[in-house]
Amino acid sequence: MSIKFAILGFLSRAPATGYELKKQFADDPVLYWSGNNNQIYRALLELHRDGLVTQDVELHEDSPPRKVYSINPAGRDALRDWVRSTPELPQLRHGFLVQLTWGDVLTADELDALLAEYAEEVRVEQLMLREWDERNAARNHRTGPGAWLNARIRERWQAFYAQEEAWVQSLRDELKTAAAGGEYPASKEENDGRG
Amino acid sequence: MSIKFAILGFLSRAPATGYELKKQFADDPVLYWSGNNNQIYRALLELHRDGLVTQDVELHEDSPPRKVYSINPAGRDALRDWVRSTPELPQLRHGFLVQLTWGDVLTADELDALLAEYAEEVRVEQLMLREWDERNAARNHRTGPGAWLNARIRERWQAFYAQEEAWVQSLRDELKTAAAGGEYPASKEENDGRG
DNA sequence: GATGACATGTAATTCGTTACATGATTCC
DNA sequence: GGAATCATGTAACGAATTACATGTCATC
């Protein structure tokens, strides 16, 4: 999936400059692109070259020209085609699960410390997410299908982290219970056979 | 996170060639790297250069030399340090949620068709995942903390897709109910003001 | 006077993928 | 004879990130 369509999507709601688009990408967690200059400005050039957007240049004497991009009918068609196109499965790059794959080289205490650290990160992320959603719900009072869809999308995102938090918690609980029963001893001794 | 640590992790269980490692990456969904030659062979060279693995070359007359890599004590230390290192939050690149952000340009019927298509993809992915897990559980009968962790990791992965499926289903149900009540009319007419 | 927002762009680097290239062996 | 697996590597390309580079204007 290309960032170009997301840009087209924003322009379908209102004309914007590269700088304005950059900000929209920067703070929305669902829009996973970093939204760096290079990407945005290049994408806008390409969209313009492909005839999907129009460019209005506001010239100023001292400052650089301000380039306002607007979507055109061809752009709307391209946007519609993309939205209807076959969806791709989400890509979950879960580095922590990779890390945990070799968690058996740690002692039970070390493992619990690691899980605790991760749980805290997830908790904080959830708080930031909720804050962002509230801020945005306040300033963005769209109605109709757009607003409904947006709410469901945010819910999905939050549910992911909620599930993550519950999972880590259950891991820690199990680990604690097992350690009390002596079932999962500190594995460092077991696995210290080097070579 | 670097693929180098995952390679180090595999080598901590058994020595392996680049080709063997490549296969391990290829079919494990949690190990999100594509596991292409370029990445693996380069990583192995670097690990060797950094003194974390040793290389045993088996020379053959006609075929290319077979290079078997083994982890060494420095490598085990590096692996342990990495496993204990501060976890990063998962990166969820959910293209479909991006797509849905502009789902309001579709009619209710088109939107439902899109959701149905996605639901099917998620369903199939779940089946493949379960199949993979069963195949692997059968062939890989490790015990102790490693096996326990592995089972929890697979559960987490499956839970993600289960949650995804439930979410799509709830979306479709809501959409259906709303459409019956005329609350979410075909939005194409509403939004067709071009420019 | 400094910071930060506004505004545009380029350069360097890293990362990852696909495809290229070679050649033996094994199974159907 | 052809396909698949084993086994190593390189080249070309594309995507994405960070940092560089410049300059205005408003606010503290």
Side-chain angles (χ1 to χ4, degrees), chain A residues 6 9-14 24 28 30-31 79 132-154, chain B residues 97-106 184 187 190-191:
Chain A
F10 278 122
L11 295 182
S12 79
R13 290 182 187 150
Q24 309 218 54
D28 190 337
V30 176
L31 273 34
L79 177 63
W132 189 90
D133 281 359
E134 278 164 34
R135 227 184 322 123
N136 265 69
R139 121 174 122 67
N140 182 356
H141 35 80
R142 266 189 297 142
T143 54
W148 174 73
L149 273 172
N150 193 53
R152 297 300 152 256
I153 289 166
R154 304 300 149 185
Chain B
L97 289 188
V98 180
Q99 210 170 332
L100 269 190
T101 302
W102 289 280
D104 57 348
V105 304
L106 302 182
Y184 296 99
S187 61
E190 278 182 26
N191 285 42

mmCIF file of all heavy atoms in Angstrom, chain A residues 6 9-14 24 28 30-31 79 132-154, chain B residues 97-106 184 187 190-191:
data_model
loop_
_atom_site.group_PDB
_atom_site.id
_atom_site.type_symbol
_atom_site.label_atom_id
_atom_site.label_comp_id
_atom_site.label_asym_id
_atom_site.label_seq_id
_atom_site.Cartn_x
_atom_site.Cartn_y
_atom_site.Cartn_z
ATOM 1 N N ALA A 6 -3.335 7.509 0.744
ATOM 2 C CA ALA A 6 -3.717 8.174 1.990
ATOM 3 C C ALA A 6 -3.703 9.691 1.793
ATOM 4 O O ALA A 6 -4.579 10.402 2.287
ATOM 5 C CB ALA A 6 -2.773 7.765 3.113
ATOM 6 N N GLY A 9 -6.645 10.602 -0.026
ATOM 7 C CA GLY A 9 -7.766 10.573 0.904
ATOM 8 C C GLY A 9 -7.906 11.874 1.668
ATOM 9 O O GLY A 9 -8.995 12.443 1.756
ATOM 10 N N PHE A 10 -6.800 12.374 2.180
ATOM 11 C CA PHE A 10 -6.845 13.649 2.906
ATOM 12 C C PHE A 10 -7.293 14.782 1.979
ATOM 13 O O PHE A 10 -8.100 15.623 2.362
ATOM 14 C CB PHE A 10 -5.477 13.976 3.509
ATOM 15 C CG PHE A 10 -5.220 13.267 4.807
ATOM 16 C CD1 PHE A 10 -4.124 12.431 4.956
ATOM 17 C CD2 PHE A 10 -6.074 13.442 5.887
ATOM 18 C CE1 PHE A 10 -3.891 11.764 6.151
ATOM 19 C CE2 PHE A 10 -5.848 12.792 7.090
ATOM 20 C CZ PHE A 10 -4.760 11.955 7.218
ATOM 21 N N LEU A 11 -6.748 14.769 0.778
ATOM 22 C CA LEU A 11 -7.097 15.841 -0.159
ATOM 23 C C LEU A 11 -8.564 15.761 -0.599
ATOM 24 O O LEU A 11 -9.138 16.759 -1.023
ATOM 25 C CB LEU A 11 -6.176 15.793 -1.380
ATOM 26 C CG LEU A 11 -4.693 16.075 -1.097
ATOM 27 C CD1 LEU A 11 -3.889 16.045 -2.389
ATOM 28 C CD2 LEU A 11 -4.512 17.414 -0.390
ATOM 29 N N SER A 12 -9.161 14.569 -0.447
ATOM 30 C CA SER A 12 -10.579 14.444 -0.816
ATOM 31 C C SER A 12 -11.461 15.169 0.190
ATOM 32 O O SER A 12 -12.624 15.455 -0.075
ATOM 33 C CB SER A 12 -10.983 12.976 -0.909
ATOM 34 O OG SER A 12 -11.206 12.439 0.383
ATOM 35 N N ARG A 13 -10.907 15.435 1.361
ATOM 36 C CA ARG A 13 -11.677 16.158 2.382
ATOM 37 C C ARG A 13 -11.419 17.662 2.319
ATOM 38 O O ARG A 13 -12.329 18.442 2.517
ATOM 39 C CB ARG A 13 -11.325 15.644 3.777
ATOM 40 C CG ARG A 13 -11.865 14.236 3.989
ATOM 41 C CD ARG A 13 -11.566 13.738 5.374
ATOM 42 N NE ARG A 13 -11.953 12.333 5.481
ATOM 43 C CZ ARG A 13 -11.350 11.458 6.271
ATOM 44 N NH1 ARG A 13 -10.336 11.835 7.027
ATOM 45 N NH2 ARG A 13 -11.760 10.210 6.306
ATOM 46 N N ALA A 14 -10.164 18.005 2.054
ATOM 47 C CA ALA A 14 -9.826 19.423 1.940
ATOM 48 C C ALA A 14 -8.475 19.572 1.263
ATOM 49 O O ALA A 14 -7.598 18.733 1.442
ATOM 50 C CB ALA A 14 -9.782 20.065 3.326
ATOM 51 N N GLN A 24 -0.588 15.597 9.611
ATOM 52 C CA GLN A 24 -1.657 14.616 9.767
ATOM 53 C C GLN A 24 -1.094 13.200 9.890
ATOM 54 O O GLN A 24 -1.638 12.370 10.621
ATOM 55 C CB GLN A 24 -2.620 14.696 8.589
ATOM 56 C CG GLN A 24 -3.087 16.129 8.337
ATOM 57 C CD GLN A 24 -4.540 16.211 7.921
ATOM 58 O OE1 GLN A 24 -5.431 15.707 8.602
ATOM 59 N NE2 GLN A 24 -4.800 16.859 6.805
ATOM 60 N N ASP A 28 -1.115 10.531 13.700
ATOM 61 C CA ASP A 28 -2.093 9.439 13.681
ATOM 62 C C ASP A 28 -1.390 8.081 13.689
ATOM 63 O O ASP A 28 -0.694 7.733 12.751
ATOM 64 C CB ASP A 28 -2.979 9.567 12.441
ATOM 65 C CG ASP A 28 -4.155 8.610 12.487
ATOM 66 O OD1 ASP A 28 -4.066 7.598 13.200
ATOM 67 O OD2 ASP A 28 -5.161 8.876 11.818
ATOM 68 N N VAL A 30 -2.549 5.123 13.312
ATOM 69 C CA VAL A 30 -3.038 4.178 12.308
ATOM 70 C C VAL A 30 -2.297 4.379 10.979
ATOM 71 O O VAL A 30 -2.024 3.423 10.266
ATOM 72 C CB VAL A 30 -4.568 4.315 12.102
ATOM 73 C CG1 VAL A 30 -5.049 3.403 10.989
ATOM 74 C CG2 VAL A 30 -5.307 4.009 13.397
ATOM 75 N N LEU A 31 -1.967 5.636 10.697
ATOM 76 C CA LEU A 31 -1.227 5.964 9.479
ATOM 77 C C LEU A 31 0.254 5.762 9.765
ATOM 78 O O LEU A 31 0.958 6.673 10.168
ATOM 79 C CB LEU A 31 -1.507 7.417 9.070
ATOM 80 C CG LEU A 31 -2.735 7.673 8.199
ATOM 81 C CD1 LEU A 31 -3.888 6.765 8.497
ATOM 82 C CD2 LEU A 31 -3.167 9.124 8.322
ATOM 83 N N LEU A 79 -9.035 7.274 -5.929
ATOM 84 C CA LEU A 79 -9.259 7.035 -4.506
ATOM 85 C C LEU A 79 -10.325 5.965 -4.309
ATOM 86 O O LEU A 79 -10.139 5.014 -3.543
ATOM 87 C CB LEU A 79 -9.686 8.341 -3.815
ATOM 88 C CG LEU A 79 -10.037 8.239 -2.331
ATOM 89 C CD1 LEU A 79 -8.840 7.795 -1.498
ATOM 90 C CD2 LEU A 79 -10.577 9.567 -1.805
ATOM 91 N N TRP A 132 -5.180 10.858 22.633
ATOM 92 C CA TRP A 132 -5.217 11.305 21.240
ATOM 93 C C TRP A 132 -6.635 11.219 20.682
ATOM 94 O O TRP A 132 -7.126 12.138 20.044
ATOM 95 C CB TRP A 132 -4.265 10.438 20.405
ATOM 96 C CG TRP A 132 -4.062 10.929 19.007
ATOM 97 C CD1 TRP A 132 -3.110 11.798 18.581
ATOM 98 C CD2 TRP A 132 -4.860 10.607 17.850
ATOM 99 N NE1 TRP A 132 -3.244 12.017 17.231
ATOM 100 C CE2 TRP A 132 -4.309 11.312 16.759
ATOM 101 C CE3 TRP A 132 -5.971 9.787 17.635
ATOM 102 C CZ2 TRP A 132 -4.839 11.226 15.477
ATOM 103 C CZ3 TRP A 132 -6.495 9.709 16.354
ATOM 104 C CH2 TRP A 132 -5.932 10.425 15.292
ATOM 105 N N ASP A 133 -7.295 10.105 20.954
ATOM 106 C CA ASP A 133 -8.652 9.894 20.453
ATOM 107 C C ASP A 133 -9.608 10.947 20.994
ATOM 108 O O ASP A 133 -10.441 11.479 20.255
ATOM 109 C CB ASP A 133 -9.155 8.492 20.847
ATOM 110 C CG ASP A 133 -8.588 7.416 19.945
ATOM 111 O OD1 ASP A 133 -7.827 7.752 19.015
ATOM 112 O OD2 ASP A 133 -8.893 6.227 20.174
ATOM 113 N N GLU A 134 -9.470 11.246 22.281
ATOM 114 C CA GLU A 134 -10.357 12.241 22.873
ATOM 115 C C GLU A 134 -10.128 13.621 22.276
ATOM 116 O O GLU A 134 -11.071 14.317 21.916
ATOM 117 C CB GLU A 134 -10.155 12.301 24.394
ATOM 118 C CG GLU A 134 -10.918 11.217 25.131
ATOM 119 C CD GLU A 134 -10.415 11.042 26.554
ATOM 120 O OE1 GLU A 134 -10.009 12.043 27.175
ATOM 121 O OE2 GLU A 134 -10.410 9.876 27.031
ATOM 122 N N ARG A 135 -8.860 13.973 22.176
ATOM 123 C CA ARG A 135 -8.500 15.257 21.584
ATOM 124 C C ARG A 135 -9.097 15.375 20.185
ATOM 125 O O ARG A 135 -9.646 16.403 19.808
ATOM 126 C CB ARG A 135 -6.983 15.394 21.532
ATOM 127 C CG ARG A 135 -6.476 16.729 22.029
ATOM 128 C CD ARG A 135 -4.973 16.871 21.887
ATOM 129 N NE ARG A 135 -4.256 15.639 22.171
ATOM 130 C CZ ARG A 135 -3.424 15.055 21.308
ATOM 131 N NH1 ARG A 135 -3.215 15.577 20.122
ATOM 132 N NH2 ARG A 135 -2.804 13.946 21.645
ATOM 133 N N ASN A 136 -8.984 14.280 19.440
ATOM 134 C CA ASN A 136 -9.434 14.321 18.059
ATOM 135 C C ASN A 136 -10.940 14.254 17.912
ATOM 136 O O ASN A 136 -11.504 14.862 17.013
ATOM 137 C CB ASN A 136 -8.802 13.173 17.260
ATOM 138 C CG ASN A 136 -7.569 13.655 16.552
ATOM 139 O OD1 ASN A 136 -6.580 13.951 17.205
ATOM 140 N ND2 ASN A 136 -7.645 13.793 15.251
ATOM 141 N N ALA A 137 -11.571 13.501 18.796
ATOM 142 C CA ALA A 137 -13.024 13.424 18.767
ATOM 143 C C ALA A 137 -13.607 14.806 19.043
ATOM 144 O O ALA A 137 -14.618 15.204 18.453
ATOM 145 C CB ALA A 137 -13.524 12.422 19.795
ATOM 146 N N ALA A 138 -12.944 15.549 19.910
ATOM 147 C CA ALA A 138 -13.416 16.881 20.278
ATOM 148 C C ALA A 138 -13.307 17.846 19.096
ATOM 149 O O ALA A 138 -14.267 18.541 18.748
ATOM 150 C CB ALA A 138 -12.610 17.414 21.462
ATOM 151 N N ARG A 139 -12.156 17.793 18.445
ATOM 152 C CA ARG A 139 -11.933 18.803 17.405
ATOM 153 C C ARG A 139 -12.536 18.380 16.061
ATOM 154 O O ARG A 139 -12.813 19.214 15.209
ATOM 155 C CB ARG A 139 -10.422 19.065 17.377
ATOM 156 C CG ARG A 139 -9.637 18.836 16.143
ATOM 157 C CD ARG A 139 -8.180 19.301 16.324
ATOM 158 N NE ARG A 139 -7.177 18.260 16.095
ATOM 159 C CZ ARG A 139 -6.942 17.695 14.901
ATOM 160 N NH1 ARG A 139 -7.642 18.035 13.851
ATOM 161 N NH2 ARG A 139 -6.016 16.773 14.786
ATOM 162 N N ASN A 140 -12.805 17.097 15.936
ATOM 163 C CA ASN A 140 -13.238 16.563 14.649
ATOM 164 C C ASN A 140 -14.648 15.995 14.791
ATOM 165 O O ASN A 140 -14.824 14.813 15.019
ATOM 166 C CB ASN A 140 -12.226 15.468 14.257
ATOM 167 C CG ASN A 140 -12.514 14.849 12.901
ATOM 168 O OD1 ASN A 140 -13.507 15.168 12.251
ATOM 169 N ND2 ASN A 140 -11.646 13.961 12.500
ATOM 170 N N HIS A 141 -15.656 16.860 14.670
ATOM 171 C CA HIS A 141 -17.009 16.351 14.878
ATOM 172 C C HIS A 141 -17.727 16.093 13.554
ATOM 173 O O HIS A 141 -18.762 16.657 13.241
ATOM 174 C CB HIS A 141 -17.833 17.283 15.763
ATOM 175 C CG HIS A 141 -17.531 18.731 15.556
ATOM 176 N ND1 HIS A 141 -18.035 19.463 14.526
ATOM 177 C CD2 HIS A 141 -16.732 19.570 16.252
ATOM 178 C CE1 HIS A 141 -17.585 20.710 14.607
ATOM 179 N NE2 HIS A 141 -16.786 20.801 15.629
ATOM 180 N N ARG A 142 -17.110 15.155 12.806
ATOM 181 C CA ARG A 142 -17.782 14.694 11.601
ATOM 182 C C ARG A 142 -18.955 13.802 11.994
ATOM 183 O O ARG A 142 -18.981 13.231 13.076
ATOM 184 C CB ARG A 142 -16.801 13.898 10.736
ATOM 185 C CG ARG A 142 -16.132 14.760 9.686
ATOM 186 C CD ARG A 142 -15.337 13.911 8.724
ATOM 187 N NE ARG A 142 -14.255 13.222 9.408
ATOM 188 C CZ ARG A 142 -13.869 11.994 9.128
ATOM 189 N NH1 ARG A 142 -14.482 11.315 8.180
ATOM 190 N NH2 ARG A 142 -12.877 11.440 9.780
ATOM 191 N N THR A 143 -19.894 13.694 11.097
ATOM 192 C CA THR A 143 -21.036 12.814 11.335
ATOM 193 C C THR A 143 -21.167 11.842 10.175
ATOM 194 O O THR A 143 -20.387 11.895 9.228
ATOM 195 C CB THR A 143 -22.340 13.630 11.462
ATOM 196 O OG1 THR A 143 -22.453 14.445 10.290
ATOM 197 C CG2 THR A 143 -22.326 14.496 12.701
ATOM 198 N N GLY A 144 -22.130 10.969 10.255
ATOM 199 C CA GLY A 144 -22.398 10.043 9.154
ATOM 200 C C GLY A 144 -21.419 8.884 9.110
ATOM 201 O O GLY A 144 -20.725 8.622 10.084
ATOM 202 N N PRO A 145 -21.375 8.197 7.967
ATOM 203 C CA PRO A 145 -20.565 6.987 7.825
ATOM 204 C C PRO A 145 -19.089 7.221 8.146
ATOM 205 O O PRO A 145 -18.437 6.360 8.734
ATOM 206 C CB PRO A 145 -20.736 6.630 6.344
ATOM 207 C CG PRO A 145 -22.011 7.275 5.920
ATOM 208 C CD PRO A 145 -22.096 8.531 6.724
ATOM 209 N N GLY A 146 -18.576 8.378 7.770
ATOM 210 C CA GLY A 146 -17.165 8.682 8.026
ATOM 211 C C GLY A 146 -16.853 8.638 9.507
ATOM 212 O O GLY A 146 -15.873 8.029 9.934
ATOM 213 N N ALA A 147 -17.704 9.265 10.298
ATOM 214 C CA ALA A 147 -17.483 9.308 11.743
ATOM 215 C C ALA A 147 -17.654 7.927 12.358
ATOM 216 O O ALA A 147 -16.876 7.515 13.225
ATOM 217 C CB ALA A 147 -18.464 10.286 12.385
ATOM 218 N N TRP A 148 -18.629 7.207 11.885
ATOM 219 C CA TRP A 148 -18.876 5.853 12.393
ATOM 220 C C TRP A 148 -17.672 4.963 12.117
ATOM 221 O O TRP A 148 -17.151 4.302 13.033
ATOM 222 C CB TRP A 148 -20.138 5.282 11.727
ATOM 223 C CG TRP A 148 -20.405 3.856 12.072
ATOM 224 C CD1 TRP A 148 -20.855 3.380 13.271
ATOM 225 C CD2 TRP A 148 -20.218 2.718 11.230
ATOM 226 N NE1 TRP A 148 -20.953 2.019 13.215
ATOM 227 C CE2 TRP A 148 -20.582 1.577 11.982
ATOM 228 C CE3 TRP A 148 -19.787 2.538 9.905
ATOM 229 C CZ2 TRP A 148 -20.525 0.283 11.454
ATOM 230 C CZ3 TRP A 148 -19.732 1.255 9.386
ATOM 231 C CH2 TRP A 148 -20.095 0.146 10.154
ATOM 232 N N LEU A 149 -17.205 4.971 10.886
ATOM 233 C CA LEU A 149 -16.046 4.171 10.527
ATOM 234 C C LEU A 149 -14.826 4.569 11.351
ATOM 235 O O LEU A 149 -14.088 3.715 11.843
ATOM 236 C CB LEU A 149 -15.724 4.346 9.039
ATOM 237 C CG LEU A 149 -16.453 3.419 8.087
ATOM 238 C CD1 LEU A 149 -16.203 3.834 6.646
ATOM 239 C CD2 LEU A 149 -16.012 1.976 8.311
ATOM 240 N N ASN A 150 -14.640 5.858 11.485
ATOM 241 C CA ASN A 150 -13.488 6.338 12.244
ATOM 242 C C ASN A 150 -13.518 5.805 13.673
ATOM 243 O O ASN A 150 -12.502 5.338 14.186
ATOM 244 C CB ASN A 150 -13.463 7.862 12.240
ATOM 245 C CG ASN A 150 -12.147 8.395 12.724
ATOM 246 O OD1 ASN A 150 -11.091 8.020 12.231
ATOM 247 N ND2 ASN A 150 -12.202 9.251 13.753
ATOM 248 N N ALA A 151 -14.685 5.829 14.283
ATOM 249 C CA ALA A 151 -14.818 5.337 15.657
ATOM 250 C C ALA A 151 -14.475 3.849 15.735
ATOM 251 O O ALA A 151 -13.775 3.400 16.651
ATOM 252 C CB ALA A 151 -16.230 5.587 16.168
ATOM 253 N N ARG A 152 -14.922 3.078 14.743
ATOM 254 C CA ARG A 152 -14.638 1.632 14.747
ATOM 255 C C ARG A 152 -13.150 1.360 14.549
ATOM 256 O O ARG A 152 -12.602 0.406 15.095
ATOM 257 C CB ARG A 152 -15.429 0.922 13.637
ATOM 258 C CG ARG A 152 -16.928 0.974 13.749
ATOM 259 C CD ARG A 152 -17.463 0.359 15.021
ATOM 260 N NE ARG A 152 -18.728 0.996 15.384
ATOM 261 C CZ ARG A 152 -18.865 1.891 16.350
ATOM 262 N NH1 ARG A 152 -17.854 2.252 17.114
ATOM 263 N NH2 ARG A 152 -20.040 2.447 16.583
ATOM 264 N N ILE A 153 -12.524 2.191 13.730
ATOM 265 C CA ILE A 153 -11.083 2.028 13.478
ATOM 266 C C ILE A 153 -10.288 2.291 14.761
ATOM 267 O O ILE A 153 -9.386 1.538 15.119
ATOM 268 C CB ILE A 153 -10.632 2.974 12.342
ATOM 269 C CG1 ILE A 153 -11.190 2.480 11.005
ATOM 270 C CG2 ILE A 153 -9.122 3.092 12.291
ATOM 271 C CD1 ILE A 153 -11.109 3.482 9.876
ATOM 272 N N ARG A 154 -10.671 3.346 15.453
ATOM 273 C CA ARG A 154 -9.990 3.663 16.726
ATOM 274 C C ARG A 154 -10.212 2.566 17.746
ATOM 275 O O ARG A 154 -9.313 2.199 18.500
ATOM 276 C CB ARG A 154 -10.485 5.001 17.287
ATOM 277 C CG ARG A 154 -10.341 6.180 16.364
ATOM 278 C CD ARG A 154 -8.906 6.426 15.973
ATOM 279 N NE ARG A 154 -8.829 7.006 14.632
ATOM 280 C CZ ARG A 154 -7.699 7.246 13.992
ATOM 281 N NH1 ARG A 154 -6.532 6.939 14.537
ATOM 282 N NH2 ARG A 154 -7.712 7.758 12.782
ATOM 283 N N LEU B 97 -7.079 -0.798 7.751
ATOM 284 C CA LEU B 97 -7.668 0.284 8.553
ATOM 285 C C LEU B 97 -7.464 1.637 7.864
ATOM 286 O O LEU B 97 -8.321 2.518 7.934
ATOM 287 C CB LEU B 97 -7.060 0.313 9.960
ATOM 288 C CG LEU B 97 -7.442 -0.818 10.915
ATOM 289 C CD1 LEU B 97 -6.915 -0.522 12.309
ATOM 290 C CD2 LEU B 97 -8.947 -1.035 10.960
ATOM 291 N N VAL B 98 -6.331 1.779 7.197
ATOM 292 C CA VAL B 98 -6.074 3.003 6.436
ATOM 293 C C VAL B 98 -7.108 3.123 5.311
ATOM 294 O O VAL B 98 -7.713 4.176 5.105
ATOM 295 C CB VAL B 98 -4.653 2.996 5.853
ATOM 296 C CG1 VAL B 98 -4.391 4.263 5.053
ATOM 297 C CG2 VAL B 98 -3.615 2.849 6.953
ATOM 298 N N GLN B 99 -7.289 2.015 4.646
ATOM 299 C CA GLN B 99 -8.254 1.965 3.542
ATOM 300 C C GLN B 99 -9.660 2.339 4.036
ATOM 301 O O GLN B 99 -10.365 3.133 3.426
ATOM 302 C CB GLN B 99 -8.252 0.532 3.003
ATOM 303 C CG GLN B 99 -8.571 0.378 1.538
ATOM 304 C CD GLN B 99 -8.297 -1.067 1.082
ATOM 305 O OE1 GLN B 99 -7.443 -1.750 1.656
ATOM 306 N NE2 GLN B 99 -9.010 -1.513 0.073
ATOM 307 N N LEU B 100 -10.028 1.758 5.172
ATOM 308 C CA LEU B 100 -11.366 1.995 5.738
ATOM 309 C C LEU B 100 -11.565 3.446 6.178
ATOM 310 O O LEU B 100 -12.699 3.914 6.266
ATOM 311 C CB LEU B 100 -11.602 1.092 6.944
ATOM 312 C CG LEU B 100 -12.231 -0.271 6.706
ATOM 313 C CD1 LEU B 100 -12.605 -0.878 8.041
ATOM 314 C CD2 LEU B 100 -13.453 -0.175 5.807
ATOM 315 N N THR B 101 -10.462 4.111 6.461
ATOM 316 C CA THR B 101 -10.552 5.512 6.874
ATOM 317 C C THR B 101 -11.304 6.334 5.829
ATOM 318 O O THR B 101 -11.976 7.310 6.155
ATOM 319 C CB THR B 101 -9.139 6.092 7.098
ATOM 320 O OG1 THR B 101 -8.480 5.303 8.085
ATOM 321 C CG2 THR B 101 -9.198 7.539 7.551
ATOM 322 N N TRP B 102 -11.192 5.892 4.576
ATOM 323 C CA TRP B 102 -11.926 6.581 3.523
ATOM 324 C C TRP B 102 -13.039 5.708 2.956
ATOM 325 O O TRP B 102 -13.458 5.872 1.821
ATOM 326 C CB TRP B 102 -10.942 7.077 2.457
ATOM 327 C CG TRP B 102 -10.152 8.205 3.013
ATOM 328 C CD1 TRP B 102 -10.566 9.506 3.108
ATOM 329 C CD2 TRP B 102 -8.849 8.147 3.604
ATOM 330 N NE1 TRP B 102 -9.592 10.256 3.743
ATOM 331 C CE2 TRP B 102 -8.532 9.456 4.047
ATOM 332 C CE3 TRP B 102 -7.920 7.129 3.819
ATOM 333 C CZ2 TRP B 102 -7.329 9.755 4.686
ATOM 334 C CZ3 TRP B 102 -6.720 7.434 4.448
ATOM 335 C CH2 TRP B 102 -6.439 8.729 4.874
ATOM 336 N N GLY B 103 -13.504 4.789 3.785
ATOM 337 C CA GLY B 103 -14.569 3.884 3.390
ATOM 338 C C GLY B 103 -15.878 4.604 3.140
ATOM 339 O O GLY B 103 -16.800 4.051 2.528
ATOM 340 N N ASP B 104 -15.977 5.839 3.588
ATOM 341 C CA ASP B 104 -17.221 6.585 3.404
ATOM 342 C C ASP B 104 -17.433 7.039 1.961
ATOM 343 O O ASP B 104 -18.493 7.556 1.645
ATOM 344 C CB ASP B 104 -17.296 7.776 4.373
ATOM 345 C CG ASP B 104 -16.122 8.719 4.217
ATOM 346 O OD1 ASP B 104 -15.143 8.353 3.538
ATOM 347 O OD2 ASP B 104 -16.180 9.828 4.772
ATOM 348 N N VAL B 105 -16.454 6.800 1.104
ATOM 349 C CA VAL B 105 -16.693 7.113 -0.308
ATOM 350 C C VAL B 105 -17.437 5.968 -0.998
ATOM 351 O O VAL B 105 -17.838 6.092 -2.151
ATOM 352 C CB VAL B 105 -15.387 7.415 -1.103
ATOM 353 C CG1 VAL B 105 -14.603 8.544 -0.436
ATOM 354 C CG2 VAL B 105 -14.525 6.182 -1.267
ATOM 355 N N LEU B 106 -17.627 4.868 -0.277
ATOM 356 C CA LEU B 106 -18.330 3.720 -0.858
ATOM 357 C C LEU B 106 -19.797 3.690 -0.452
ATOM 358 O O LEU B 106 -20.192 4.307 0.535
ATOM 359 C CB LEU B 106 -17.665 2.414 -0.406
ATOM 360 C CG LEU B 106 -16.185 2.210 -0.724
ATOM 361 C CD1 LEU B 106 -15.735 0.847 -0.229
ATOM 362 C CD2 LEU B 106 -15.899 2.370 -2.200
ATOM 363 N N TYR B 184 -27.418 4.541 7.833
ATOM 364 C CA TYR B 184 -26.196 4.734 7.051
ATOM 365 C C TYR B 184 -26.492 4.534 5.582
ATOM 366 O O TYR B 184 -26.227 3.503 5.019
ATOM 367 C CB TYR B 184 -25.102 3.765 7.508
ATOM 368 C CG TYR B 184 -24.689 4.024 8.920
ATOM 369 C CD1 TYR B 184 -25.195 3.247 9.948
ATOM 370 C CD2 TYR B 184 -23.835 5.062 9.237
ATOM 371 C CE1 TYR B 184 -24.839 3.494 11.251
ATOM 372 C CE2 TYR B 184 -23.472 5.317 10.541
ATOM 373 C CZ TYR B 184 -23.983 4.523 11.545
ATOM 374 O OH TYR B 184 -23.632 4.772 12.834
ATOM 375 N N SER B 187 -23.529 6.302 0.718
ATOM 376 C CA SER B 187 -22.926 7.625 0.872
ATOM 377 C C SER B 187 -22.402 8.174 -0.432
ATOM 378 O O SER B 187 -21.943 9.286 -0.504
ATOM 379 C CB SER B 187 -21.789 7.547 1.880
ATOM 380 O OG SER B 187 -20.823 6.647 1.400
ATOM 381 N N GLU B 190 -24.187 11.292 -1.348
ATOM 382 C CA GLU B 190 -23.817 12.380 -0.428
ATOM 383 C C GLU B 190 -22.487 13.023 -0.764
ATOM 384 O O GLU B 190 -22.308 14.221 -0.697
ATOM 385 C CB GLU B 190 -23.696 11.841 1.010
ATOM 386 C CG GLU B 190 -25.023 11.718 1.733
ATOM 387 C CD GLU B 190 -24.799 11.237 3.151
ATOM 388 O OE1 GLU B 190 -23.715 11.466 3.703
ATOM 389 O OE2 GLU B 190 -25.725 10.615 3.710
ATOM 390 N N ASN B 191 -21.519 12.142 -1.085
ATOM 391 C CA ASN B 191 -20.145 12.603 -1.216
ATOM 392 C C ASN B 191 -19.703 12.830 -2.657
ATOM 393 O O ASN B 191 -18.531 12.936 -2.924
ATOM 394 C CB ASN B 191 -19.188 11.563 -0.612
ATOM 395 C CG ASN B 191 -19.231 11.622 0.884
ATOM 396 O OD1 ASN B 191 -20.306 11.743 1.458
ATOM 397 N ND2 ASN B 191 -18.074 11.580 1.517
#
